[in-house]
Amino acid sequence: MIIDCAIYREGHRTEGPDDFSDALDQARASGGFVWIGLHEPTADEFDLVSQEFGLHPLAVEDALKAHQRPKLEVYDDSLFMVLKPVAYEPHSDTVSTGEVMIFLGDAFVVTVRHGEGSPLNAVQSRLEHEPELLGKGPTSVVYAIADAAVDHYLDVATELQTDLEELEAEVFSPDAAGTRHTASRVYTFKRQILEFRRATGPLTQPVARLMGAGASGAAVPFVSKKARPFFRDVHDHLTRVNESVENLDRLVSDILSAHLAQVSVRQNDDMRKISAWAAMAAVPTMLAGIYGMNFEHMPELRWEWSYPAVLLVMAVLEVLLYRLFKRRGWM
């Protein structure tokens, strides 16, 4: 559905006409721009917008289907950028991503939102309270959306770091042997970090191009040189986020390896204890087996103290074995 349509002149909002073509003409005539916001539009709703603003059909198809990687594509009459805002639910340790598609032209911005966790409402409110920034043109909208998304990445990375420290403390706690689902929790956490990385990693190249540091160093159309320092700041923050994600991923792998090593050590301890008890049980079994064969000619069969002597030998051997295994830490 179409959420909003407004014309911005010199950083201030004015309501635009219902007809998108008239709104675009008014914005161009006054040196302003049109900002249209859509949320999961249907093909018919978006067809009206794409025709009025001359959007490329390939970009329109991506905007309708969603499920795109972060990217930046340059067409004749517009730029098309995809970002993936991230939300984190600490109670369930779940990272969820939405999508924001941005069409940027000479005097218009069209934003398309899919899913939850979008920063568009906060961005619009922030820009309308900063007319100096909004007055720099439609590029300011792209910068503000990217800046809000990346800043939230930093918050999510901090929350993930906090929860990962709690998970690490749980793995290395003295009673960690009682936790039966630690490995599954670590794997789940690793999956969430992978989901987070899918949003942050591919965004590096588009932001680098916007700040003029792409492969060829060529300027991106519809983005003025004055806007490059702003995107450079976004790129710096994004670099910090990607470094945090790498550190989190390595730490999760280390925690998983440590947990598996602990499990192996505990299994070895259990096997030693079982072996020790089996050895202790083997001694009386062996003696009882020998004297239970009932051969006619066996020593001590007719000796009066045979029975208590055998029991005493069993007890002494059991005590000796117990002390030996206890001293070696097998019991």
Side-chain angles (χ1 to χ4, degrees), residues 263-285:
V263 171
S264 179
V265 169
R266 287 196 295 268
Q267 288 177 342
N268 290 336
D269 290 340
D270 293 340
M271 288 302 299
R272 282 198 303 233
K273 292 178 181 179
I274 294 172
S275 300
W277 284 109
M280 293 176 63
V283 172
T285 302

Side-chain angles (χ1 to χ4, degrees), residues 30 65 77 218 231 303:
S30 61
K65 291 184 176 180
D77 298 324
F231 289 109
W303 185 36

Side-chain angles (χ1 to χ4, degrees), residues 1-5 18-21 24 34-39 41-57 60 63-64 78 101-104 108-112:
M1 65 179 68
I2 299 175
I3 302 297
D4 192 22
C5 175
D18 295 334
D19 186 84
F20 295 145
S21 181
L24 184 59
V34 180
W35 184 357
I36 298 176
L38 302 98
H39 177 231
T42 63
D44 293 337
E45 291 173 337
F46 203 65
D47 185 61
L48 177 62
V49 176
S50 62
Q51 288 181 3
E52 294 293 346
F53 293 93
L55 305 180
H56 197 279
V60 171
L64 287 173
S78 63
M101 286 81 166
I102 307 171
F103 293 88
L104 174 65
F108 68 86
V109 177
V110 178
T111 54
V112 182

